[in-house]
Amino acid sequence: MKEMLSKISIQVNEKIYLKNPDTSVLGRKLVAGSIALIDELGFEGFTFRKLAKSIDSTEASIYRYFENKHKLLIYLTAWYWGWMEYRMVFGLANVASPEDRLRKAINLLTEIVKEDSTFSHINEIKLNHIILAESSKAFLTKSVDQENKEGFFSGYKALVERMSQIILEINPNYKYSHMLVSTLIEGVHHQRYFTEHLPALTDVIQGEDAISDFYKDMLFKAIKTVEK
Amino acid sequence: MKEMLSKISIQVNEKIYLKNPDTSVLGRKLVAGSIALIDELGFEGFTFRKLAKSIDSTEASIYRYFENKHKLLIYLTAWYWGWMEYRMVFGLANVASPEDRLRKAINLLTEIVKEDSTFSHINEIKLNHIILAESSKAFLTKSVDQENKEGFFSGYKALVERMSQIILEINPNYKYSHMLVSTLIEGVHHQRYFTEHLPALTDVIQGEDAISDFYKDMLFKAIKTVEK
DNA sequence: CAAATATAATAGTATTACTATCATTTTCAA
DNA sequence: TTGAAAATGATAGTAATACTATTATATTTG
């Protein structure tokens, strides 16, 4: 079983990297190390020099995998969305009602990742933590149009489209399905971040997962109700 | 009239800057120039050296006003929230019903700023454009806790609190007022940005301001309805 | 008008973000 | 198993960034 799972790997757009880090020991150490280091230092404080030191390699070697740290961040986010897609495929299979599928999808997106999977070198707990604080920096740059054209964000877009389709199954007349989904996804990241750092901007309720409850409430009301 | 208006100025937390840029010709040129340059180059491409050149001054002079470009970004966002607060005070005064006040507040937040005011050196159109792409970078850093403690985000928090109060007037039992407001604010930024750069993540509807309509619909349903 | 303050001009440092070259190690195919 | 190809390491170097410091020159203000 473990062996089977170890053969599953998340594919990301080939143009993101110079050399696929998934194909070598150094590449996997590089990615694993970058997750630990970005989580520790933040993306701005993170440099390839520090990464090289932390994995006992050299800057030059890292530059053979990624053009720059921005591309590495895009790689991590693309991997994350690929992984999320994979979790959705498994989690939503054989769930007949679109309502239940949507509920499950929201759960997957809002959950704080608490278990590291055994099938990859990537620590999904730390990666999830990075995504909350850093993922928007992957597209909030002047190179976004070019990078979008090259398909760097296709994983994210595919997920939005998939969930959008579920919403349209529930209510084919709902006009803002993509907006609703991307508002949910980015919102979850922000609210989780706010809970930790800017609690005045959110609502923390003892013993409840307010974020998950809030977004479920919000989405179903948006899709299913007519205003009183 | 012009003279009176020119005496209005937006106050920001004094700890954000080393010397108040609002008190000198150079300081105002610096801020105005930074808005133009960040809009043109993006925050990552923007440097104090380039700013100095563009306003025909020196790096050393700019460093007398701001410790670094991150503090300057915090200044710009704080100014923006102060300005938004000012617009809300005027825009919502004498509006009796909380529903109408909420609708107006959402309009102010979702509107693309199209007119530059005459009472300040700041180009609000460009600043609004910067806010969409760059404002989240002001708090998505490792220094957020310290900076929050020093009150750098109090303008943003005050606005969330103000709108949260309106929501509670409409429905005192609504549990997630702060979350709803910050989801709205950050969401508007993202959706405007997506419309321009990643349209697959949003819904663009010809001849309609889909973003404004979507958020109004979403908020009122969240606050006022019970799920069918 | 003198003193204080602000700005400009200039120079300098440490770090970042790379690129280049060559030696060494590892891989993998015949 | 060996020898070529590929990957990595070691080292060096460049341009730009992110500052700090010093001194000279304007400008403001009391």
Side-chain angles (χ1 to χ4, degrees), chain B residues 4 19 24 27 38 50 58 79 102 113 123 158 181 189 197 224:
Chain B
M4 196 196 84
K19 177 176 154 65
S24 73
I38 292 172
K50 290 172 190 167
T58 64
W79 194 95
L102 185 57
V113 179
N123 181 328
V181 174
H189 297 167
H197 301 289
K224 296 195 70 177

Side-chain angles (χ1 to χ4, degrees), chain A residues 160-194:
Chain A
V160 169
E161 186 54 36
R162 172 188 292 271
M163 290 189 60
S164 184
Q165 289 306 321
I166 302 175
I167 288 171
L168 292 174
E169 268 185 72
I170 299 173
N171 178 357
N173 296 316
Y174 188 68
K175 285 163 83 178
Y176 312 114
S177 57
H178 299 85
M179 236 191 270
L180 190 58
V181 174
S182 58
T183 294
L184 161 73
I185 293 175
E186 295 301 321
V188 168
H189 297 167
H190 277 122
Q191 297 304 322
R192 290 259 172 255
Y193 187 84
F194 292 160

Side-chain angles (χ1 to χ4, degrees), chain B residues 3-144:
Chain B
E3 209 169 308
M4 196 196 84
L5 284 171
S6 73
K7 279 181 186 148
I8 294 168
S9 84
I10 306 294
Q11 301 301 314
V12 311
N13 186 318
E14 293 188 355
K15 286 184 232 154
I16 295 173
Y17 47 72
L18 299 170
K19 177 176 154 65
N20 190 344
D22 212 35
T23 61
S24 73
V25 174
L26 181 66
R28 290 188 290 271
K29 255 173 61 184
L30 188 174
V31 169
S34 73
I35 291 170
L37 211 55
I38 292 172
D39 194 36
E40 184 189 335
L41 306 174
F43 188 64
E44 285 72 33
F46 168 83
T47 70
F48 275 3
R49 177 180 294 261
K50 290 172 190 167
L51 174 59
K53 211 178 164 189
S54 90
I55 61 168
D56 217 16
S57 180
T58 64
E59 261 184 287
S61 298
I62 292 167
Y63 276 106
R64 278 187 207 102
Y65 286 86
F66 293 99
E67 237 178 285
N68 50 50
K69 71 173 181 173
H70 175 240
K71 288 279 174 69
L72 171 55
L73 180 63
I74 291 179
Y75 177 88
L76 294 178
T77 58
W79 194 95
Y80 181 82
W81 294 123
W83 177 70
M84 190 59 80
E85 180 86 3
Y86 158 89
R87 299 209 307 163
M88 291 236 170
V89 168
F90 278 74
L92 309 188
N94 307 316
V95 180
S97 107
E99 280 89 351
D100 286 345
R101 263 183 289 139
L102 185 57
R103 234 181 306 273
K104 275 210 155 190
I106 298 173
N107 279 338
L108 284 171
L109 284 171
T110 56
E111 251 169 31
I112 296 174
V113 179
K114 284 199 180 105
E115 260 186 61
D116 188 19
S117 83
T118 47
F119 73 80
S120 88
H121 53 291
I122 291 185
N123 181 328
E124 286 101 5
I125 301 169
K126 280 189 183 164
L127 179 56
N128 178 241
H129 198 248
I130 288 177
I131 291 294
L132 304 182
E134 317 290 358
S135 66
S136 63
K137 296 171 190 168
F139 58 76
L140 293 175
T141 68
K142 283 285 165 181
S143 49
V144 60

Side-chain angles (χ1 to χ4, degrees), chain A residues 19 24 26 57-58 61 64-65:
Chain A
K19 177 177 153 66
S24 73
L26 181 65
S57 180
T58 62
S61 298
R64 281 187 200 104
Y65 287 86

